[in-house]
């Protein structure tokens, strides 16, 4: 149902009154939403347009930050609910919480700031020349060294209790020579496996195998081999505190 706790009073009113706009917001409307929500005091430019969300370079009292805005209708996400804001709102909330969990645990992710409905702000990774590029868009001078940094980053995420379920060169940014992980909207919490640790760890194993396979294909272009199976096995073993997969 659309009346979930994350929705603010104005959205409740628009749903009940039938005045909820079912058209995708344009650039100007999105900028107005960012500013009126208090996530930023200025919006400078659109810096990334993905399948489900757009990212804007913004500022808060002169400090740069990034604001990710999930689209409500023009998206590849199929939520199945009659009010898309409800589905996408929960998706945004999950990414915010997963990013916060990873950041709090010391993993290299953009520090999250605030979330409002289908938008959240975070640290801007970039400089005066522009936003940090994706790993898929750069040419590495030391691919072996960067691979080690990526694998260490995946281990750091796991130690923080998070497994990235869409790990690929498209979801890793290269900033100040280091890999930074983004897009944790479908990530898994693995520090608390709940009542079915076997299910959680099996899902984590599948996600890690898929992600490291994508990483292996990328580094294969440099002639660098990735021992992904051994890496994933060791990482999952470290998470399997009760030995349910042994």
């Amino acid at each position: 149902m659309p009346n979930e706790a994350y929705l603010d009073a104005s959205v409740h009113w628009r749903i009940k009154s039938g005045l909820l706009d079912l058209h995708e917001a344009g650039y100007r409307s999105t900028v107005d939403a960012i500013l009126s929500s208090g996530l930023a005091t200025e919006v400078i430019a659109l810096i990334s347009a993905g399948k489900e969300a757009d990212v804007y370079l913004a500022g808060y009292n002169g400090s740069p930050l990034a604001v990710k805005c999930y689209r409500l209708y023009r998206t590849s996400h199929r939520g199945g609910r009659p009010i898309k804001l409800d589905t996408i709102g929960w998706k945004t909330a999950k990414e915010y919480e997963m990013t916060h969990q990873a950041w709090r645990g010391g993993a290299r992710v953009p520090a999250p700031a605030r979330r409002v409905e289908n938008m959240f702000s975070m640290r801007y990774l970039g400089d005066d020349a522009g936003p940090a590029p994706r790993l898929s868009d750069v040419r590495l001078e030391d691919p072996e060294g960067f691979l080690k940094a990526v694998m260490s980053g995946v281990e750091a995420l796991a130690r923080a209790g998070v497994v990235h379920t869409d790990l690929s060169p498209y979801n890793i940014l290269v900033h100040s020579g280091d890999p930074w992980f983004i897009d944790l909207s479908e990530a898994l919490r693995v520090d608390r496996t709940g009542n079915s640790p076997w299910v959680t760890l099996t899902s984590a194993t599948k996600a890690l195998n898929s992600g490291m396979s994508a990483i292996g294909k990328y580094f294969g272009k440099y002639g660098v081999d990735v021992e992904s199976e051994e890496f994933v096995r060791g990482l999952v073993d470290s998470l399997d505190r009760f030995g349910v997969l042994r």
Side-chain angles (χ1 to χ4, degrees):
M1 296 299 294
N3 295 328
E4 303 284 8
Y6 84 90
L7 295 173
D8 64 22
S10 66
V11 178
H12 282 306
W13 181 82
R14 281 182 284 157
I15 291 173
K16 291 178 180 179
S17 65
L19 296 178
L20 187 67
D21 189 1
L22 299 181
H23 296 89
E24 194 67 57
Y27 178 84
R28 187 68 257 168
S29 296
T30 301
V31 168
D32 289 343
I34 293 172
L35 298 176
S36 64
S37 69
L39 290 175
T41 54
E42 63 175 329
V43 177
I44 300 169
L46 174 68
I47 57 176
S48 175
K51 293 184 295 183
E52 298 182 340
D54 299 324
V55 180
Y56 294 80
L57 171 59
Y60 193 90
N61 293 335
S63 298
L65 50 78
V67 179
K68 185 170 185 177
C69 302
Y70 273 92
R71 303 189 203 101
L72 301 180
Y73 309 104
R74 187 169 52 85
T75 169
S76 63
H77 180 67
R78 301 180 184 276
R81 293 191 179 189
I83 305 244
K84 202 67 176 240
L85 181 59
D86 183 43
T87 303
I88 298 301
W90 280 111
K91 188 178 181 71
T92 310
K94 180 179 179 181
E95 178 168 9
Y96 179 85
E97 292 300 329
M98 287 292 183
T99 304
H100 185 267
Q101 174 74 17
W103 170 77
R104 187 175 60 181
R108 279 202 181 96
V109 297
R114 285 186 60 221
R115 182 191 69 83
V116 177
E117 295 169 9
N118 62 314
M119 308 174 290
F120 73 95
S121 56
M122 57 189 150
R123 176 185 174 184
Y124 168 67
L125 298 178
D127 52 31
D128 292 339
R134 299 178 301 180
L135 177 58
S136 59
D137 298 327
V138 302
R139 181 70 185 176
L140 298 174
E141 295 182 2
D142 179 18
E144 290 187 0
F146 201 85
L147 171 61
K148 291 180 181 178
V150 168
M151 296 175 77
S152 294
V154 174
E155 290 175 330
L157 282 170
R159 286 195 300 272
V162 176
V163 165
H164 202 309
T165 59
D166 192 18
L167 185 64
S168 78
Y170 297 98
N171 288 328
I172 299 174
L173 300 183
V174 182
H175 179 61
S176 298
D178 295 313
W180 292 73
F181 299 86
I182 59 171
D183 196 3
L184 296 171
S185 62
E186 301 296 335
L188 285 172
R189 281 287 296 271
V190 291
D191 57 330
R192 51 186 190 191
T193 50
N195 294 325
S196 302
W198 184 87
V199 174
T200 300
L201 292 173
T202 299
S203 296
T205 302
K206 182 178 179 180
L208 286 167
N209 279 325
S210 176
M212 292 308 300
S213 176
I215 296 299
K217 289 180 181 178
Y218 172 82
F219 282 95
K221 297 187 300 182
Y222 293 96
V224 177
D225 292 329
V226 180
E227 300 294 335
S228 59
E229 290 187 8
E230 182 178 350
F231 173 74
V232 171
R233 189 182 307 113
L235 190 54
V236 174
D237 281 346
S238 71
L239 298 172
D240 189 6
R241 299 187 299 274
F242 305 107
V244 297
L245 297 182
R246 301 191 186 103

